[in-house]
Amino acid sequence: MKLTRRTMLQSMGTLPLLTSGLTLPAAAQTAAAASGDIPPVLFVHGNGDHAALWLTALWRMESNGVPRARLAALNFTDPLARNDDAVAQPNRSSTDDQRRELAEAIKALKERTGATRVALVGSSRGGNAIRNVVKNGGGADVSHAVLCGTPNHGVFDWDDSPGSEFNGRGPFLRGLNAGTSEVTEGTAFLTLRSDGLDKYAQADGRLVGKPGVPTGITAEGPALKGATNLVVGALDHREVAFHPRAFREIYKFIAGREPAFIAIQPEREVRISGLVTGTPGGAPTNRPVTGATVEVYRVSGETGARNGEPVYRGQTGADGRWGPAEIDPTSHIEIVLTSPGAPITHFYRSPFPRSSDVVHLRAARPLGQADAGAGAIVIMSRPRGYFGLPRDIVLLDGKEPADVQKGVPTDAATTLRLPAGDIGRTVIGLFNEERIAARLWPASESRIAMIELTN
């Protein structure tokens, strides 16, 4: 089943800007007055991801006066790449699949806003889709293309896996990179890359399963001839898209001026909603899940204990949508997802300072052999970056996780398994300055606590 056009548009960010009773700071008012010269912006996620990763970037755009209606973040139906781009695989997409879906999303945003051209911002594989659209017929619709950590010359350059989208010697990337310039005339291109900490731009093949074998790729792999190419410091593969430092460069390139705010400006009235998706056959997809129940609770930021009854309870229909839930923008929250055939997942989140309709939910992975005998399981997840040790402060239940590799950041989640006697107690997840308290739930009831970091 493919996402309908209606479902795709619902996932692209269409809630009205909720500013009732809120006076914007003077700088934000000035930015809002000037926002008319900024094209609508469409954010494009990477391999296996979804639109929710752009949550903070959308908030920062809004904080600088860009109307919510001129911002969108699309979900690819099947975000995971095929092993061989030319060979169909269940619940995976080809480069042509992504080009078609992105072209449709561009058309929809133009129709919604009346704009003649839009700006595209892509993370990782999302940049492949952007380049494909611009080069193969869609350049007239795209004013700016920002590629963040995109493996523009491949993750590897080998004779092995010749059909992989990520092989620098494969037909897809050779086609995009042919010619004296690697960008398409008429669209302004910016690439953002890490200073050596991008796991997919490494000279050694260790991180792609071939330690000691040269990949043929260096840290400069994301750069393109003919583009503006910027190194944004010691950021990891995801941070070069979602970090505040990356936002500054994205905004400045599209708007032609510095942002008035890097910090997210809060709203007084906050509503959140999103899409429930699943992982059929183990592949992450953005196909809607019907019959999932979502509950939202206010919880104590110190203990994770619930403060009263749920502020929202609902069940998804055929479109997979949940919400909206009206929440207190100063309270930590717990979102409970009961999705068919998956563990009951208790998401613990920091306060939401602004409204969003891309609070997308996927249940935690099924319990496996490694979980046998555990009384309670807690996962700390960082969707918008990786855990870097010793770069970052990473503590789960007061200890540095043993399952996070040191050096180049590669791990976005860490798992802690605890005895049954710990059920009901509080576990603290700490990542740099973000602190989230969670409660432990019985694994015997197929329940998993998920500390989901914002930063």
Side-chain angles (χ1 to χ4, degrees), residues 14-319:
T14 56
L15 282 178
L17 187 62
L18 299 175
T19 55
S20 175
L22 177 64
T23 301
L24 290 172
Q29 293 184 50
T30 301
S35 66
D37 62 354
I38 300 176
V41 184
L42 175 59
F43 292 92
V44 187
H45 65 72
N47 199 38
D49 292 331
H50 50 53
L53 271 67
W54 294 109
L55 178 71
T56 53
L58 292 165
W59 282 343
R60 289 188 171 96
M61 283 286 181
E62 294 169 14
S63 296
N64 282 279
V66 182
R68 190 167 295 165
R70 291 176 66 83
L71 299 169
L74 101 105
N75 282 318
F76 286 116
T77 305
D78 294 314
L80 204 60
R82 296 173 175 178
N83 292 337
D84 186 319
D85 193 44
V87 179
Q89 279 183 275
N91 304 310
R92 291 177 177 244
S93 58
S94 68
T95 54
D96 281 344
D97 292 334
Q98 294 220 324
R99 178 183 54 78
R100 286 191 295 266
E101 289 195 36
L102 178 53
E104 182 69 13
I106 293 169
K107 179 181 177 182
L109 184 57
K110 286 178 60 183
E111 289 176 352
R112 192 173 83 196
T113 60
T116 57
R117 305 184 87 191
V118 303
L120 303 179
V121 182
S123 167
S124 190
R125 188 191 183 202
N128 285 353
I130 290 172
R131 294 184 68 197
N132 201 2
V133 161
V134 172
K135 183 162 186 172
N136 294 304
D141 295 324
V142 181
S143 60
H144 301 76
V146 183
L147 314 177
C148 308
T150 296
N152 287 312
H153 295 93
V155 176
F156 52 87
D157 190 327
W158 291 333
D159 290 329
D160 292 352
S161 304
S164 170
E165 175 182 339
F166 304 116
N167 189 347
R169 297 185 190 180
F172 175 71
L173 286 178
R174 281 193 290 106
L176 289 183
N177 295 330
T180 57
S181 175
E182 295 175 331
V183 301
T184 303
E185 186 176 353
T187 297
F189 275 81
L190 169 68
T191 73
L192 301 181
R193 67 175 177 88
S194 171
D195 189 10
L197 293 187
D198 187 330
K199 66 185 288 188
Y200 296 117
Q202 297 293 318
D204 185 271
R206 178 178 66 86
L207 299 179
V208 289
K210 292 190 175 184
V213 177
T215 62
I217 304 298
T218 70
E220 296 181 0
L224 288 173
K225 290 181 291 184
T228 300
N229 299 298
L230 294 181
V231 181
V232 287
L235 304 184
D236 64 45
H237 178 68
R238 290 185 177 177
E239 287 174 334
V240 294
F242 308 118
H243 193 276
R245 175 77 174 86
F247 169 76
R248 179 209 178 190
E249 301 301 342
I250 293 166
Y251 182 91
K252 186 168 64 169
F253 186 72
I254 296 172
R257 59 179 176 274
E258 293 281 0
F261 294 100
I262 298 297
I264 295 162
Q265 303 302 295
E267 294 176 306
R268 288 183 182 173
E269 299 175 17
V270 173
R271 294 180 183 174
I272 59 173
S273 61
L275 179 70
V276 175
T277 64
T279 54
T285 80
N286 290 316
R287 298 169 183 270
V289 172
T290 303
T293 300
V294 177
E295 298 173 302
V296 181
Y297 295 86
R298 292 185 301 113
V299 299
S300 164
E302 292 300 313
T303 67
R306 293 173 179 173
N307 295 327
E309 294 298 308
V311 297
Y312 170 84
R313 179 186 286 119
Q315 190 172 74
T316 60
D319 63 358

Side-chain angles (χ1 to χ4, degrees), residues 276-279 337-339 341-345 347 361-366 450:
V276 175
T277 64
T279 54
L337 172 62
T338 306
S339 194
I344 299 170
T345 308
F347 295 92
L361 304 173
R362 284 185 193 145
R365 47 81 176 160
M450 178 78 74

